[in-house]
Amino acid sequence: MSTFQPVRGMRDILAEDAQVLNYVIAKARETAGLYGFKEVITPVVEPFELLSLKSGDEIRQRMFIFDDLGGRKVSLRPEFTASIARLVTTALRNEPKPFRVFSVGSVYRYDEPQRGRYREFWQANFELMGSSNPEADAEIILLANSLLKTAGLEGYAIKLGHVGVLKGIMSQEGIDDKTQNAILQKMDKKEYEAALALVASEKCRNVIHGLIELNGTSPFDTVQKMQKQVQDYEKATASVENLAAILKLVVESECEIQAVDPAFARGLEYYTGMIFELYVPQLEIALGGGGRYDRLIEAFGGEPTPAVGMAAGLDRIALAMQVQEIQLKTPQQKRVAVISIKDEQKGEALKIAQMLRHSGIWVEFEVMGRKMTKALEDADKRRVHYAVIIGERELKESKVVVKDLAKRTQTQVEIARLAEKIKS
Ligand code: HAM
């Protein structure tokens, strides 16, 4: 019989990669704490309706959808935002605003598998709800910046935009929501010609084309030029002002914004305001993204609640760390192999292993019944720091033999001082 492989697009994350991923998860959790976000855990399976209502075609077409045995149409979550918005209309309904919610876990999208693009991947998700002020947007951008910084990434860039600009122009020109969304989806994929082909009014086409072509010498210059480009459009003008206010706050707090993209759109449909994405020069794919979505909670039957958030793609951050050869800053754990020479001392050896574990030392107990030379060879291969050898003769004097596998030295150590000796 042939062996089983993971389903296409799914991965086994082996020890070394799992260590990096867990490191990034720890950094995300640490960042959540620093910005006052409380962690919640939501289900992987959610009602299809909830996940699809405002996410847009791009995500909807990539969802893992099935009927459960009770006949409910459900889906694996492709992101966290809908689940958190659901919470705001239910369990968190009476929470005082603002609230800040953090989640981490796997999400699922039927994307075409390639480097950095998987069908099961990990997100750290942050939502700040209850404020429509630019400082809330700024906080989310600063948080994203902190996360990449604490992961040790270098040369990363933040791209900033505002969907309110394009939406403002299109609404004033009487373009319906459905067409607006179709245009924005094409803009997201940089299919500008196809996007413009959907715009009936020539004036509107020219203004949007102008935004696509707009080139500023700096983010502030770009914003100024956007202002001129949209001056006949009231809501778009307000959106550019909002973008300018957010940009100013972020830059004043000494976080660099590399680019403002006037024609920037994102795949998700629920955005209403500022949007952003994060990149490193070595990878073309975004390491994270987010933005403001002020009407989602209302659409789910809740009180109108302004909200802004972001999700970091943890697999991609881990990949970027590997590409940039970033060393994990985790304290080196002392690892020990405990081996008894003869069967008669196995009980005593287990007792010593337990004693070491109680004092925080990681122990791999010899369970294969191998001869000493083989067991030591194996410990060496596993890059264990010390082998603790339990022999009858030494036990009589309450001692064991400790072999330093790197230095290739060996000494006798009193059992009472063993943990202390290994830790030093
Ligand atoms: P998103 O841009 O769809 O936003 O996803 C966020 C991040 O997830 C991406 O920037 C990327 O790093 C990662 N990602 C997306 N697809 C894949 C994939 N197939 N394989 C690996 N990584 C991937 C959202 O999900 C929004 N919910 C963010 C948000 C929160 N907006 C407001 N609040």
Side-chain angles (χ1 to χ4, degrees):
M1 193 184 138
S2 60
T3 53
F4 292 110
Q5 295 297 323
V7 170
R8 183 167 150 76
M10 303 289 164
R11 293 160 302 151
D12 296 312
I13 303 176
L14 302 185
E16 223 168 280
D17 289 339
Q19 197 190 359
V20 183
L21 183 59
N22 277 326
Y23 180 83
V24 184
I25 292 173
K27 292 292 169 198
R29 199 164 268 135
E30 208 177 290
T31 309
L34 288 173
Y35 283 77
F37 285 64
K38 297 228 171 80
E39 184 164 354
V40 300
I41 301 171
T42 57
V44 170
V45 176
E46 289 275 18
F48 167 74
E49 270 293 297
L50 172 93
L51 297 172
S52 66
L53 192 65
K54 285 282 166 195
S55 56
D57 279 345
E58 176 71 21
I59 299 266
R60 209 175 291 134
Q61 284 161 9
R62 294 171 194 276
M63 273 164 35
F64 284 82
I65 306 158
F66 56 100
D67 290 337
D68 73 6
L69 293 180
R72 300 168 197 90
K73 192 171 186 186
V74 295
S75 166
L76 302 184
R77 62 183 177 205
E79 55 142 6
F80 284 98
T81 308
S83 302
I84 305 303
R86 172 179 58 69
L87 272 184
V88 179
T89 64
T90 54
L92 299 180
R93 202 178 49 234
N94 298 320
E95 282 285 299
K97 309 276 182 335
F99 49 81
R100 302 171 169 91
V101 190
F102 164 69
S103 305
V104 63
S106 53
V107 295
Y108 302 82
R109 293 182 194 175
Y110 204 81
D111 277 338
E112 196 45 40
Q114 48 184 277
R115 188 173 183 234
R117 181 166 286 126
Y118 317 105
R119 289 182 179 170
E120 178 184 55
F121 58 98
W122 286 69
Q123 280 190 345
N125 187 79
F126 306 82
E127 309 293 354
L128 168 44
M129 294 169 156
S131 167
S132 57
N133 290 334
E135 52 268 37
D137 302 68
E139 274 277 275
I140 289 292
I141 298 169
L142 293 179
L143 182 158
N145 179 61
S146 294
L147 176 54
L148 296 203
K149 197 171 191 171
T150 147
L153 290 174
E154 281 169 12
Y156 59 85
I158 303 175
K159 180 170 94 170
L160 191 61
H162 199 299
V163 284
V165 179
L166 290 170
K167 281 192 172 176
I169 297 166
M170 293 191 288
S171 296
Q172 197 169 320
E173 290 287 346
I175 299 176
D176 62 78
D177 282 356
K178 197 161 172 273
T179 315
Q180 283 192 28
N181 287 330
I183 293 168
L184 290 172
Q185 296 281 339
K186 299 232 178 300
M187 301 277 279
D188 173 43
K189 292 195 196 124
K190 305 214 163 24
E191 294 168 4
Y192 297 126
E193 263 181 48
L196 289 171
L198 296 174
V199 182
S201 134
E202 193 185 340
K203 183 186 171 205
C204 184
R205 235 184 354 256
N206 285 339
V207 176
I208 295 178
H209 187 251
L211 287 174
I212 295 168
E213 297 279 292
L214 198 154
N215 234 333
T217 51
S218 71
F220 285 104
D221 183 50
T222 306
V223 170
Q224 261 182 7
K225 287 179 173 153
M226 284 171 78
Q227 203 96 50
K228 277 208 193 101
Q229 182 70 16
V230 304
Q231 59 192 352
D232 295 343
Y233 296 89
E234 199 183 316
K235 281 197 179 142
T237 299
S239 292
V240 179
E241 275 164 16
N242 179 240
L243 177 62
I246 296 164
L247 177 68
K248 185 163 174 282
L249 284 174
V250 173
V251 171
E252 274 175 3
S253 68
E254 296 187 339
C255 165
E256 232 181 290
I257 297 290
Q258 283 68 21
V260 166
D261 180 350
F264 185 17
R266 285 186 24 82
L268 289 149
E269 216 167 87
Y270 48 63
Y271 293 114
T272 55
M274 176 281 291
I275 48 173
F276 72 103
E277 277 174 357
L278 304 143
Y279 291 89
V280 279
Q282 295 84 359
L283 299 171
E284 277 179 9
I285 43 184
L287 303 192
R292 173 167 289 283
Y293 53 100
D294 284 346
R295 286 197 278 282
L296 186 62
I297 293 152
E298 221 175 312
F300 287 173
E303 290 287 308
T305 310
V308 57
M310 72 92 50
L314 303 185
D315 311 78
R316 292 186 182 175
I317 294 180
L319 180 64
M321 286 172 65
Q322 280 161 341
V323 172
Q324 293 194 356
E325 294 179 6
I326 289 161
Q327 300 296 323
L328 306 192
K329 288 200 195 91
T330 38
Q332 263 275 339
Q333 272 292 344
K334 282 281 155 54
R335 289 170 53 225
V336 163
V338 172
I339 311 160
S340 74
I341 300 176
K342 288 195 184 143
D343 281 356
E344 292 73 38
Q345 281 80 44
K346 263 188 194 157
E348 199 63 40
L350 271 172
K351 193 170 138 194
I352 291 169
Q354 292 302 82
M355 178 197 80
L356 293 174
R357 287 168 178 148
H358 285 148
S359 51
I361 295 163
W362 294 11
V363 179
E364 294 172 34
F365 192 80
E366 170 58 29
V367 291
M368 302 298 283
R370 289 172 291 206
K371 293 259 176 280
M372 186 54 62
T373 354
K374 278 267 175 255
L376 283 174
E377 259 173 41
D378 178 63
D380 215 18
K381 265 193 224 138
R382 289 168 188 271
R383 297 179 188 268
V384 163
H385 299 102
Y386 297 101
V388 174
I389 301 165
I390 320 292
E392 194 180 359
R393 201 156 22 104
E394 291 81 9
L395 271 186
K396 278 191 187 134
E397 295 171 29
S398 301
K399 287 183 178 166
V400 292
V401 173
V402 175
K403 206 174 163 81
D404 184 323
L405 293 173
K407 291 192 192 139
R408 312 244 157 235
T409 54
Q410 114 172 19
T411 46
Q412 285 196 8
V413 178
E414 275 176 46
I415 295 172
R417 292 192 47 242
L418 181 62
E420 180 197 331
K421 159 88 182 153
I422 287 168
K423 281 187 177 169
S424 70

